[in-house]
Amino acid sequence: MLYQSTYDDLRDRIRAGEFAVGDRLPSEADLLAHYEISAITLRRALDMLREAGYVERRPRVGTTVVSVEPSILSATDALEIGVVLTNFDDTFGTRMLEGMLDEAGADVHVILKRTHGDHDAEDSAIRTLARRARGLIVLPSSSEFIPPAVLELLPTGFPVVILDRRYEGIPVSDISTDNIAAGALATEHLFGLGHRAVALVTSDSRVTSNDDRRRGWVGAHARNDKKLDDGLAFHGIESTLPGSTERPEDDVARLVTFVEEHPGATGFVAGEYNIALLLRDALEQVSRRVPEDVSIVCFDHPDATFDRRLFRFTHIAQDQPGVGRRAVEQLLRQARGEDGSRKILVPAQLVDGASTGAVASAD
């Protein structure tokens, strides 16, 4: 990686005495011309020298050598990685972090930032961590555009791994659940129970995970020779979005309208556990019972290991620890310069619960 080789060369020149303590390094313009690199690559290398204790950087003064030996662990001895998430809780994110920490072990330090889906906070967190960490794992707030800070880092060879999002045509590693297969698995489970009209309920989030689950839902209709009604896809849930100020009660009201407009739907695929809870409330308001009248399959579910009385939905269980482990593994590979970007899909599985049942036969 260019920033690493630039750092190594400048460090070796300082150690060899070419730049003595108190000397200023050549200007950034001279260093850019000498190493034939971009400004962001040079800034990263100079930041690494500062973090290792070799230099001090001051506005309008420049970069001054302050030591020929590192005053702290050098960037090659200690490894810090940054993680930027929109949010995390017991349904999604917490167990992914567990996987990251397990894979990182004792020798890799993980620095976490949470953005609540705010684009500016996300960009700021990425830029801040990139000045300190040796690589970044990012769960972007949207799939419609890649964070600008990431686009600036990629040409420098800075290690970046994207979580739960796909960016076609951009050379960046991404790791996510195989949501197309998962969406089909949930839908086909309901078809197998005899449900003929299966609705899809997701949030208003513009992310590839939602898009892929819809693709799986559509594909399951085709494979099972079921007529597809696009009106059974509801994407209007807003209260579950990170940083949302929308009231859950308003989403329930919208769901009541949706359910009343589609009385033939007896099976529902909910994009999240919290959406399944909202949907169950809406169904209760129109006197439809789960699972006696209607079946629900959701994505993810809190473990609640010791709460045996918790109502457990039939759900698609993502391998969140596995996604976290694979993300750190891939990032460390990139940090060692072993390989380039990869697109990795992790399989999910269906876990049977109390929210689904066979359609009662007509008398």
Side-chain angles (χ1 to χ4, degrees), residues 2 32 35-44 152 155-156:
L2 289 176
L32 289 172
Y35 289 108
E36 298 182 339
I37 56 177
S38 68
I40 192 171
T41 301
L42 176 62
R43 285 196 294 271
R44 176 63 183 150
E152 293 175 17
T156 74

Side-chain angles (χ1 to χ4, degrees), residues 186 190 195 197-201 232 258-259 262 265-270 279 283 288 294-298 356:
L190 292 168
H195 297 277
V198 176
L200 176 68
V201 181
L232 289 178
F258 174 72
V259 169
H262 300 90
T266 59
F268 291 82
V269 176
L279 177 59
L283 290 165
R288 301 183 75 182
V294 174
S295 290
I296 300 174
V297 179
C298 69
T356 52

Side-chain angles (χ1 to χ4, degrees), residues 195 266 289-296 311 353-360:
H195 297 277
T266 59
R289 300 165 299 166
V290 177
E292 292 84 359
D293 304 317
V294 174
S295 290
I296 300 174
F311 182 89
S355 64
T356 52
V359 176

Side-chain angles (χ1 to χ4, degrees), residues 205-320:
S205 181
R206 271 63 170 178
V207 293
T208 50
S209 55
N210 274 352
D211 294 341
D212 285 350
R213 289 168 189 174
R214 179 188 171 90
R215 290 170 65 186
W217 174 74
V218 171
H221 280 76
R223 282 190 297 275
N224 289 270
D225 197 26
K226 303 289 185 182
K227 182 180 179 180
L228 179 67
D229 179 359
D230 279 331
L232 289 178
F234 180 83
H235 305 296
I237 301 297
E238 298 182 15
S239 62
T240 62
L241 296 173
S244 174
T245 58
E246 195 74 16
R247 299 188 314 154
E249 293 86 352
D250 294 333
D251 276 332
V252 170
R254 283 188 281 268
L255 283 170
V256 166
T257 300
F258 174 72
V259 169
E260 289 179 331
E261 290 175 348
H262 300 90
T266 59
F268 291 82
V269 176
E272 304 170 26
Y273 171 73
N274 289 330
I275 290 176
L277 295 176
L278 296 173
L279 177 59
R280 186 177 61 177
D281 288 348
L283 290 165
E284 287 177 353
Q285 289 191 25
V286 295
S287 300
R288 301 183 75 182
R289 300 165 299 166
V290 177
E292 292 84 359
D293 304 317
V294 174
S295 290
I296 300 174
V297 179
C298 69
F299 276 74
D300 304 313
H301 201 290
D303 289 335
T305 305
F306 300 102
D307 186 357
R308 307 314 306 168
R309 290 177 292 179
L310 176 70
F311 182 89
R312 284 172 165 78
F313 286 83
T314 298
H315 63 279
I316 297 295
Q318 302 187 70
D319 182 10
Q320 295 184 47

Side-chain angles (χ1 to χ4, degrees), residues 55-272:
V55 302
E56 187 177 80
R57 302 184 68 194
R58 294 180 180 176
R60 296 184 297 277
V61 174
T63 303
T64 304
V65 177
V66 295
S67 176
V68 295
E69 294 294 337
S71 58
I72 60 173
L73 288 175
S74 72
T76 56
D77 295 323
L79 190 64
E80 292 183 336
I81 62 175
V83 177
V84 180
L85 301 181
T86 55
N87 205 2
F88 57 93
D89 58 22
D90 289 343
T91 59
F92 185 79
T94 300
R95 299 204 64 212
M96 193 162 56
L97 285 170
E98 290 175 0
M100 292 181 195
L101 294 173
D102 288 344
E103 185 66 27
D107 298 327
V108 178
H109 306 303
V110 177
I111 310 169
L112 175 65
K113 297 286 186 182
R114 181 169 60 174
T115 68
H116 296 288
D118 183 275
H119 295 322
D120 292 335
E122 179 177 86
D123 201 67
S124 176
I126 292 169
R127 294 179 189 280
T128 298
L129 289 176
R131 290 194 291 269
R132 174 176 179 177
R134 292 285 301 282
L136 291 176
I137 297 172
V138 181
L139 198 165
S141 54
S142 172
S143 296
E144 294 186 323
F145 68 94
I146 193 166
V150 168
L151 286 175
E152 293 175 17
L153 290 171
L154 291 179
T156 74
F158 187 86
V160 177
V161 172
I162 300 295
L163 285 179
D164 202 42
R165 309 283 187 263
R166 289 182 295 101
Y167 295 102
E168 301 297 341
I170 296 177
V172 59
S173 291
D174 57 64
I175 300 176
S176 63
T177 296
D178 187 347
N179 282 297
I180 296 177
L185 180 62
T187 307
E188 289 176 347
H189 180 71
L190 292 168
F191 285 151
L193 293 172
H195 297 277
R196 299 180 63 184
V198 176
L200 176 68
V201 181
T202 69
S203 71
D204 191 32
S205 181
R206 271 63 170 178
V207 293
T208 50
S209 55
N210 274 352
D211 294 341
D212 285 350
R213 289 168 189 174
R214 179 188 171 90
R215 290 170 65 186
W217 174 74
V218 171
H221 280 76
R223 282 190 297 275
N224 289 270
D225 197 26
K226 303 289 185 182
K227 182 180 179 180
L228 179 67
D229 179 359
D230 279 331
L232 289 178
F234 180 83
H235 305 296
I237 301 297
E238 298 182 15
S239 62
T240 62
L241 296 173
S244 174
T245 58
E246 195 74 16
R247 299 188 314 154
E249 293 86 352
D250 294 333
D251 276 332
V252 170
R254 283 188 281 268
L255 283 170
V256 166
T257 300
F258 174 72
V259 169
E260 289 179 331
E261 290 175 348
H262 300 90
T266 59
F268 291 82
V269 176
E272 304 170 26

